[in-house]
Amino acid sequence: MKSDLRLFAMSERTVLAQSISQHLNIPLSSLIRKKLSNTETLVEIQESVRGKDVFIIFSSYTDFNNSILDLLMIVEAMNNASVAQITIVFPSFPYARYDTATKQSRCPIARLIADMLGSVSPDRILTMDLHSPQVQGYFDIPVDNITAEPAFWRWIKDNHLRDAVLVTPNPQGTKRVANFSEVMGMKFAIVHIGGCESSEYATRRGASHLEGCNSISIVGDVQGKDCIIYDDIADACYLLTQAAKYLKQNGAKRVFCIATHGLFSEEGIAACNDSEIDSFVVTDTLDQSRNLNLYSKLRTVDVSVIFAEAIRRIHYKEPLLPLFNIDDYYS
């Protein structure tokens, strides 16, 4: 790896950032964030970045609203220090579900985040499994949206589930599951919970907001089969747990869930603990150390190697397309 690549993390204690660093064989560069007595923050870059290719891993999701301001200051400081290029790495893009103005969110917050980032002029964004691909259009710079599917494919093979049925818990996810199942040569099914004001809103807010849901149906054959419910975000988990319950009622042998980003609200953990789900697998784009202690059926898969390879390819100006080839990348 060239010596002009520099890797920074908003929090060096983040396991994902450390793993990416190890895969690249490049240490995390020193970055200090100082909290002043009046709650203001100062950031200090502890080494020269002049002419360097800088990647900043945004890993402070427990305090995002403050950390985003710190990120803006870091990018501005690096631009003033004459870096060659800045790539911001968002393992999980914040506010990605709020890509349009709804009655629950009066402004498209994802666009606001994009505008804020654009004000300090980074050169590129790297993220994984955007909830809404249209978020990419909010930026005037390249946005590389890589996928966790190679890691999930390896988990499916390792657990001998290649004959399982992939399931989307809502019609909005049909394209995602259909594409994944086609690549892997697996069958897929759709669980449709009808009568809800908004399945997207229900996913965020949980059971108390699904009282109007008065019908549920399955498109596809699940009788006597293992089923894998596939979604991009696990938060309140109500649709996921209801889908698992209905799959079991309709003859499914075992029900697994896989999701890229494990947000897991408190009611989401409670719903999963009281559900028909046999095992729930998420990636490590978000820290799961707390959730692993609260939910015994939760498992994680590592995506640091995917991010590390993406960073290497961006640095060397190589195409990212091989990262989407499941059979070649995770054999």
Side-chain angles (χ1 to χ4, degrees), residues 242-253:
Q242 288 299 299
K245 178 180 178 181
Y246 196 65
L247 288 168
K248 286 285 185 77
Q249 290 175 349
N250 282 266
K253 186 165 59 174

Side-chain angles (χ1 to χ4, degrees), residues 232-248:
D232 61 325
I233 295 175
D235 189 352
C237 297
Y238 187 75
L239 292 184
L240 293 174
T241 55
Q242 288 299 299
K245 178 180 178 181
Y246 196 65
L247 288 168
K248 286 285 185 77

Side-chain angles (χ1 to χ4, degrees), residues 95-316:
Y95 290 107
R97 290 176 290 181
Y98 300 92
D99 57 311
T100 57
T102 67
K103 71 178 184 179
Q104 290 83 35
S105 174
R106 295 296 180 183
C107 73
I109 307 174
R111 189 186 68 188
L112 179 61
I113 298 298
D115 291 343
M116 292 169 62
L117 293 171
S119 68
V120 292
S121 302
D123 296 282
R124 183 180 293 269
I125 302 292
L126 173 63
T127 190
M128 176 171 277
D129 286 340
L130 275 171
H131 180 71
S132 175
Q134 76 180 47
V135 171
Q136 294 172 274
Y138 293 152
F139 289 90
D140 294 324
I141 58 174
V143 177
D144 292 314
N145 181 29
I146 58 178
T147 179
E149 289 179 358
F152 286 135
W153 177 224
R154 182 170 64 175
W155 176 84
I156 288 171
K157 291 198 296 184
D158 288 348
N159 287 274
H160 310 290
L161 291 169
R162 298 182 68 165
D163 293 327
V165 178
L166 283 174
V167 180
T168 176
N170 57 74
Q172 291 86 350
T174 300
K175 183 176 181 181
R176 179 190 311 111
V177 171
N179 290 342
F180 193 26
S181 64
E182 181 179 2
V183 170
M184 298 189 302
M186 298 173 67
K187 295 180 180 180
F188 79 94
I190 304 169
V191 174
H192 180 254
I193 300 177
C196 303
E197 178 183 2
S198 168
S199 62
E200 175 77 5
Y201 184 50
T203 301
R204 300 172 193 163
R205 298 300 297 277
S208 62
H209 297 271
L210 279 175
E211 294 176 355
C213 298
N214 50 31
S215 66
I216 186 168
S217 59
I218 295 178
V219 179
D221 180 22
V222 299
Q223 179 71 37
K225 302 180 184 298
D226 289 327
C227 294
I228 303 173
I229 301 173
Y230 180 31
D231 212 346
D232 61 325
I233 295 175
D235 189 352
C237 297
Y238 187 75
L239 292 184
L240 293 174
T241 55
Q242 288 299 299
K245 178 180 178 181
Y246 196 65
L247 288 168
K248 286 285 185 77
Q249 290 175 349
N250 282 266
K253 186 165 59 174
R254 293 181 296 175
V255 177
F256 304 89
C257 283
I258 58 176
T260 304
H261 309 297
L263 294 178
F264 289 117
S265 63
E266 289 187 9
E267 72 173 335
I269 290 291
C272 289
N273 274 316
D274 193 33
S275 75
E276 300 283 346
I277 297 171
D278 292 283
S279 184
F280 205 131
V281 181
V282 297
T283 76
D284 53 356
T285 56
L286 299 170
D287 180 39
Q288 298 299 323
S289 55
R290 176 179 176 273
N291 296 328
L292 286 167
N293 291 325
L294 297 174
Y295 181 27
S296 62
K297 295 180 180 179
L298 182 64
R299 303 290 183 270
T300 61
V301 294
D302 180 27
V303 292
S304 62
V305 64
I306 303 177
F307 276 104
E309 179 64 8
I311 289 171
R312 189 195 69 80
R313 287 178 172 275
I314 292 170
H315 178 66
Y316 281 113

